[in-house]
């Protein structure tokens, strides 16, 4: 009975030694007291272990949290670095796009009068100094349609536009093929020159070969229009000499042109040319004497020139062996 009472009171007997019952023999009382001390020791052990486990868990959690925090900060730094890199790439891309747009704009302007390969060269180098005003010997080709003015007076505007579209479509590829520099085309009048902006070998021969190809291509176009009752022909003038070349106009509309007596002489030769004729100056005739079939026309007094000049007609090209 006494032992049962002691066991029942064990939870509140932590701070006090067990009382020795007066009615219990001393040996039994001692044994009971020993069992009470053992019970207190056994009851205290799990509590210490739990706190030790909690402390260890807290230490592990603290360490894990520190690791996670360090990893998160590292990710944040990497994210900031990626954002900076992305911003830098965006700036570079914007600069590249702006440069490409500027190059396309320059190319668009240059393609109006220069062959594509020269445009590519100028755009790739980013230097247009080659187009600055300068003096050089060139060969000029001028061509137009015989009878175009009377045709334009009587034909409907739509017919005039249709003829010009066919005409220019025939000449354009040939000018590109022979790498000529297109000065301008006004209505039926087209002016092309060689040996500038880039020098070329045998500019007179190249000009004559181009003119012969033009004559053949335009003959096909005009043949169809003649069937509709229109009296149309094609004439060409070619001369060689020095001119001043460069860009003229304003920023939004620039043209590359040649100015000098050689251009005036070429225009006058073209005016004198009958249908199918390619009239050339003596210098051009001498330059192509071994490759072209020449017909001597004689001396002509041309408007705007103080003296008559010898003129030759290109009948065709000599056969190559």
């Amino acid at each position: 009975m006494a032992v049962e009472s002691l066991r029942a009171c064990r939870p509140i007997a932590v701070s006090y030694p067990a009382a020795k019952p007066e009615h219990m023999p001393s040996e039994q009382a001692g044994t009971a007291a020993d069992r009470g001390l053992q019970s207190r020791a056994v009851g205290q052990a799990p509590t210490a272990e739990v706190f030790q486990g909690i402390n260890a868990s807290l230490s592990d959690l603290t360490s894990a949290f520190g690791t996670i925090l360090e990893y998160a900060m590292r990710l944040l730094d990497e994210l900031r670095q990626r954002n900076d890199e992305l911003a830098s790439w965006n700036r570079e891309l914007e600069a590249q796009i702006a440069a490409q747009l500027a190059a396309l704009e320059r190319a668009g302007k240059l393609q109006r009068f220069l062959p594509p390969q020269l445009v590519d060269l100028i755009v790739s180098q980013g230097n247009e100094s080659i187009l600055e005003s300068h003096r050089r010997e060139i060969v000029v080709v001028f061509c137009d349609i015989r009878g175009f003015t009377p045709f334009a007076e009587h034909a409907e505007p739509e017919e005039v536009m249709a003829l010009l579209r066919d005409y220019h479509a025939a000449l354009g590829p040939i000018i590109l093929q022979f790498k000529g520099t297109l000065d301008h085309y006004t209505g039926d009048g087209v002016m092309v020159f060689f040996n500038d902006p880039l020098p070329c070998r045998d500019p007179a021969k190249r000009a004559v070969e181009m003119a012969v190809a033009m004559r053949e291509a335009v003959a096909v176009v005009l043949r169809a229009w003649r069937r509709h009752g229109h009296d149309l022909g094609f004439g060409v003038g070619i001369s060689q000499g020095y001119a001043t070349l460069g860009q003229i106009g304003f920023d939004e509309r620039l043209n590359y042109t040649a100015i000098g007596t050689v251009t005036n002489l070429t225009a006058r030769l073209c005016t004198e040319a009958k249908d199918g004729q390619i009239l050339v100056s003596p210098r051009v005739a001498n330059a192509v004497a071994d490759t072209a079939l020449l017909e001597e026309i004689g001396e002509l007094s041309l408007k705007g020139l103080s003296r008559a000049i010898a003129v030759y007609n290109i009948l065709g090209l000599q056969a190559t062996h």
Side-chain angles (χ1 to χ4, degrees):
M1 185 70 177
V3 173
E4 295 296 334
S5 300
L6 182 59
R7 288 177 178 172
C9 296
R10 184 174 53 189
I12 62 173
V14 175
S15 302
Y16 305 96
K20 183 178 181 181
E22 293 181 357
H23 60 275
M24 183 180 294
S26 60
E27 182 178 353
Q28 293 179 354
T31 302
D34 291 340
R35 283 198 300 270
L37 292 174
Q38 292 175 0
S39 298
R40 289 196 300 272
V42 171
Q44 292 173 353
T47 303
E49 291 177 358
V50 168
F51 278 112
Q52 290 177 359
I54 291 174
N55 289 335
S57 297
L58 289 175
S59 177
D60 292 342
L61 287 174
T62 302
S63 176
F65 179 75
T67 301
I68 294 173
L69 182 61
E70 181 182 355
Y71 181 69
M73 294 300 294
R74 187 163 61 249
L75 288 179
L76 183 60
D77 290 341
E78 291 180 0
L79 181 60
R80 289 172 178 169
Q81 182 179 356
R82 295 293 184 272
N83 286 337
D84 292 341
E85 291 176 354
L86 182 60
S88 177
W89 291 341
N90 285 336
R91 289 191 295 270
E92 292 178 2
L93 182 60
E94 290 175 356
Q96 291 176 359
I97 291 175
Q100 290 175 354
L101 289 176
L104 289 174
E105 184 178 357
R106 288 199 307 273
K109 293 179 179 179
L110 296 174
Q111 284 175 345
R112 291 198 298 266
F113 50 82
L114 297 178
Q117 61 273 14
L118 180 54
V119 173
D120 294 340
L121 175 63
I122 294 174
V123 172
S124 63
Q125 292 180 347
N127 184 4
E128 298 184 16
S129 61
I130 192 174
L131 304 179
E132 293 177 355
S133 180
H134 58 280
R135 180 176 171 83
R136 179 173 292 167
E137 186 177 26
I138 60 173
V139 176
V140 182
V141 179
F142 209 108
C143 62
D144 62 12
I145 297 176
R146 312 291 85 161
F148 179 78
T149 300
F151 167 78
E153 289 178 356
H154 298 92
E156 295 295 332
E158 292 80 5
E159 290 183 302
V160 176
M161 293 294 291
L163 171 60
L164 291 177
R165 278 196 296 268
D166 294 344
Y167 176 65
H168 292 150
L171 296 184
I174 298 174
I175 296 172
L176 294 178
Q177 175 187 347
F178 287 91
K179 302 178 182 180
T181 300
L182 178 62
D183 184 297
H184 69 272
Y185 53 92
T186 306
D188 63 318
V190 177
M191 176 177 167
V192 181
F193 55 84
F194 291 88
N195 203 43
D196 190 87
L198 290 180
C200 64
R201 294 184 59 185
D202 301 323
K205 292 181 180 179
R206 185 176 298 188
V208 168
E209 291 174 359
M210 183 191 73
V212 172
M214 284 179 165
R215 180 172 60 187
E216 295 173 355
V218 174
V220 176
V221 173
L222 297 184
R223 190 177 304 125
W225 285 88
R226 289 195 190 101
R227 286 197 294 266
H228 292 84
H230 302 295
D231 185 16
L232 300 171
F234 180 69
V236 183
I238 306 176
S239 66
Q240 182 172 353
Y242 281 90
T244 298
L245 303 107
Q247 296 186 89
I248 61 173
F250 51 96
D251 288 342
E252 287 73 21
R253 180 68 179 182
L254 289 173
N255 285 325
Y256 188 76
T257 190
I259 297 176
T261 302
V262 63
T263 60
N264 296 332
L265 172 58
T266 307
R268 300 295 178 244
L269 289 172
C270 180
T271 301
E272 291 293 328
K274 298 179 176 60
D275 178 30
Q277 285 188 327
I278 301 174
L279 300 185
V280 301
S281 66
R283 293 190 62 182
V284 174
N286 290 332
V288 300
D290 58 342
T291 59
L293 300 175
L294 297 170
E295 176 189 16
E296 185 174 355
I297 301 297
E299 291 191 348
L300 297 179
S301 297
L302 303 176
K303 183 179 178 179
L305 300 179
S306 59
R307 58 182 182 177
I309 67 167
V311 177
Y312 300 82
N313 178 36
I314 302 294
L315 298 176
L317 301 176
Q318 296 184 20
T320 58
H321 300 285

